[in-house]
Every structure is written in C-alpha cells, then in structure tokens.
Amino acid sequence: MKNKIILLTLVLLTSLAGCQFSEFEENYTDPSTVSETSVEKQFTGFMIANREYVLPSYWNYFVVLRITLNRYTQAIGWVNEENQYVPGSAAINGRWGNYYQFLAQYRELEKVYAGLSDQNKEDNRVFMITAATYLYDHTQKMVDLHGAIPFSEAGMLSTNGGDYSESYPAYDEPEAIYTKMLDDLAGFADELRTMEINPGILTGFESQDLVNRGDIDMWLKYINSLRIRMLTRVSDVPAFSDRAASEINEILSNPASYPIVTTNDENITFRIHELGTLIASNSFQTGLEDWDGNVAGKALVDHMLNNDDPRLTYVFEPGEDAEGEFIPLDPLLNASVQTELIGSNTMAIYNRTTLSRNQYFPGMLINASQVHFMAAEFYLEAGQDAQAKQHYEMGIEESIHYYEMLRSMSNNLVSPEPIPVTESAIESYLADEDISWDAAAGDMEKMRLIAEQKWLHFNVVQPNENWAELRRIEMPDLEFWVDQSNQQSLPPNRWIYPGSEQTYNTQNYQQVQPNDNLTRTLFWDN
C-alpha cells in the first residue's frame, strides 16, 4: 500500500491532491469533498494547485530559489561553498511533484468536461481555453528547467480508471511540447476573441477565475503575451525561427486582433484581495530573508549605482550598519570574508517593504516590461531600429513604475523611504551613456542593453524568466567563483530529473537518461 501511495505522488498520477486545505473550503468548494464536481469547481481547484510557485512562498524562495536560480543569475549574494552549483533534491522533487499534482488537476478538469453534453461543452469552452493557457505558462517553465518531460500521457490515472500499468507516462521532447503549446495558443487567440459566452456561464467564470476575474480582454492579452514569450525563447532555433518571426510580427502589427500586455495596469497576476486566505504572500518574508537569502548581488547593484538607476531605492536598501551606503556582496571573495561581511550588517539587501514584507505582493505571471523588452528584441532582429528603441525605453519606464507600484501597495514601512521618481530622473537614466540606445555601437551592443534590462527587471521577482533568458542570450556576462571540488564547477545548464523517475517510471526514464546531466543544454540554448 505504501508503494502505491508513493507511486501516486511521484509518478504524476494524483487527481485531486491539490485541494486538501481547510482554508480552501472557506473560499472555494473542494471537489474532493463533494459527491459531484463540475467544470467551474475543478477549474478553480486546478488554478490554486500551484499557487506556491506563483505567489511568493517560503518553500519556493527558501528551499528552491535561494540555492538555485537566484544564484545562477547573481540576483543575490551568498557565501560560496562546495557543491553549490548542484541543485538539491528537495528543490527538484518539490518543484516536480507540485507541477504534476497541478497537471493531474487539469486532467481531471478535462475528464469532467469530456462528460458534458455537446451544448454544455460549448457553453463551458471558456474554462478550457483559459485553463490550458494557464497550464502552458507553467509547462514552459518546467520544460525550460529540465528539457523533455512527461506531458501528453501524464496525470492520467483517473482517466485510465485507476489502472497503474496504463498510466506510466512517456517523456515528450521539448520541441514537441513547444509546438503543441504554440499551436493551441494561436488557435485560442482567434477562438476566444470571437466567442459569444453565455451570460450565466460568464458570471460563474468571473467568480472562479483567480487570475483575471473573468475579464476576457485580459485573457486575450495573457494568451498573446505568452505566445510572444514562447516564440522569443525559440526564435534562434532553426526549426522555429521563421515561425517566431512571422507570428510575433502578426501579433505586434495587429493589436486590435491580438492585444498584449503593454502597461502595468494590464499585468497578469494572482492579485491579493484579502489577507489571511490561500491567495496571499504571507510567507515571502521568511522565504526570501531567512539565512540571508535577500543579500544583494554585486553585479546587479553596481549596475544600478553606476548608472543612477531610479529603481535602486525601491528594489534595494542599505545594510543596517552601512550608513546609507549600498554595499553588495562580491561573489568572487572567499567564503570566510563573505561570511564576515554578511555578519557585519553592512551588506545591501532587497527592499523589505517593496518585496519580502509586502503582504500584497502579487503572484507575477506576465508584465508589461518583459513584453516590451521582447518586442524590442524582435524589432532589433528585424532591422527596425526606431521601434526597437521605443519598446526598449517603454520597457524601462514600465519597470521603474512597476517597482513604484509594488512599493505603494505594501502594508509594511520597515524600509527607508525611497527616492521619488521624477520624469527628469527617467530621462536622465535613458540618456546615460551605458543605457542610451542611441549611444550603443551596433546591434550586439543594443542586444546587450536589452538583456541587462531584463536581468535588472526580473531580479528575484521572476527567477525562472531570469535564468532562462540569461542562458539563451548569454548576457550579461557574469563571473562566478569556480568550485574546484565538484565536476559541476559553474552554474548548470539544466536541472536533472528527480530520483523518483528512475525508481517508478523506469522504462520511460531510460529513454532520457543519456541526456540527464547538468551540462546538457536545452534545445533553445545555442
């Protein structure tokens, strides 16, 4: 019996594991506690199942990101140690297990939907389009961590009538998963904008939708912005390059048909409406701050200081004993010196009011700045310099206002008052010789500007996007301490699979085992 329970958890086959929280019952019906579920109920259970990897949570920030992605991008400073570039099993197992509980919820939604009459399927189609969009957002993140993953056959135990022998999932190649997601999202973009939704269904959708509260226009912006994110990620892959150029151009050239996120008011997030519920950021403080996980990285702070970045006092704060000076931790120092510096309380840290102690901090999915930076990259590659510059500068402006906005929504005042942002400060920043588009010498230098601004904007807030883009573009060029004690002497190119796959999904795992190492690059990582 114990082995079956482990199998159920680790081989992706749960059906309703995400809905087992007492608090959930106070806000949404738990499908596992009622005799009959519905598309509406299952939709919400699915969306809440991965909330700890959307909203800033203790597990994600402390167990997973503190020792992996936030280090690989030098978003943070840390004390060097042996084996530091090998992601821990707790991080890998936790992320993997949560994703497949989340996917199993989606499979249960598919199962419920498949049992409806044709008319009810038509009425409830909006739930399936938006659920798939949300699923694909997080599936891209998993693919970008591991490469090939079980997907098309995963989470099917309930669908297969509880037959374990039929439910061990094969691995899908990452290119195939990307193709499937891009094909579906392109179809959703056209289908949803022309869909006539039953008013009664729309009312239920508005109450069950945790992301956009039933706003169809916002879902269209989510879909098309997500398409741009995926297409940008694979834009340098020969098999995808023509498609990426064509579809991104189609989206950006037809805003009426294919709207995207362009301002912070349109950011796609889990918004915090009420403290004390499951949709809250109550554990961001311990997740980021414990064990000095919020110490500022040198490269990032130096960039901001050297260029009078208006975001500096919103994103960071001086150490308690630094007399107002922003002092980051150098990643190349030896461990004893780093330990002493951290103990001196002089190291700059991430701004607690803006970030870790802001209980209204949203779960960020897609925001305006990243969309503008992707558009800038597209236009740069297309030789349309004026439009590239426009989106580059809009991305910076939206990023500055984004951190102002985060600060303004905080219910905490522990950090020093930031320096108010003025239009003249933004103009001065854009004109700085190290920031200015017009001062850049050629396309490669302009690409460096875009890459640096993505990195500054993402920092610890969007670590998955930060690490993926750093690997893809290979800019900014960060220098790391070399770990001579381990074969993995520098940050890895991917995560390995959890040990449970070798144990319980053995036959399918054997197909990917030759590539299951930390040095293997992903297909879009040229």
Side-chain angles (χ1 to χ4, degrees), residues 65 75 82 119 122 136 142 158 161 206 257 295 298 310 347 423 474:
L65 299 173
E82 294 182 351
Q119 182 59 57
E122 182 179 342
Y136 291 169
M142 285 295 290
S158 177
E206 289 170 348
S257 297
V295 172
K298 180 175 174 57
M347 294 293 95
E423 287 303 312
E474 297 183 345

Side-chain angles (χ1 to χ4, degrees), residues 74-95:
Q74 290 191 9
I76 62 170
W78 71 96
V79 176
N80 289 317
E81 59 184 348
E82 294 182 351
N83 305 319
Q84 67 180 9
Y85 300 124
V86 178
S89 60
I92 293 174
N93 292 340
R95 191 79 171 85

Side-chain angles (χ1 to χ4, degrees), residues 10-122:
L10 298 181
V11 191
L12 339 177
L13 307 174
T14 54
S15 62
L16 295 171
C19 292
Q20 55 186 8
F21 310 94
S22 60
E23 298 97 325
F24 186 83
E25 297 175 5
E26 299 173 6
N27 299 283
Y28 310 102
T29 302
D30 179 349
S32 68
T33 64
V34 295
S35 58
E36 294 184 6
T37 187
S38 67
V39 168
E40 287 186 357
K41 296 170 184 175
Q42 195 61 42
F43 177 79
T44 303
F46 154 73
M47 294 190 82
I48 206 169
N50 75 331
R51 72 196 184 285
E52 289 194 346
Y53 290 90
V54 181
L55 294 158
S57 70
Y58 174 82
W59 180 271
N60 191 26
Y61 267 88
F62 184 79
V63 178
V64 180
L65 299 173
R66 180 180 56 87
I67 57 173
T68 59
L69 276 56
N70 284 345
R71 291 183 177 182
Y72 304 160
T73 60
Q74 290 191 9
I76 62 170
W78 71 96
V79 176
N80 289 317
E81 59 184 348
E82 294 182 351
N83 305 319
Q84 67 180 9
Y85 300 124
V86 178
S89 60
I92 293 174
N93 292 340
R95 191 79 171 85
W96 185 271
N98 180 266
Y99 172 76
Y100 285 105
Q101 290 181 3
F102 168 66
L103 178 59
Q105 286 272 22
Y106 178 76
R107 298 300 185 208
E108 195 68 15
L109 174 61
E110 287 185 314
K111 180 181 175 182
V112 174
Y113 182 77
L116 300 178
S117 67
D118 289 345
Q119 182 59 57
N120 283 337
K121 284 181 180 178
E122 182 179 342

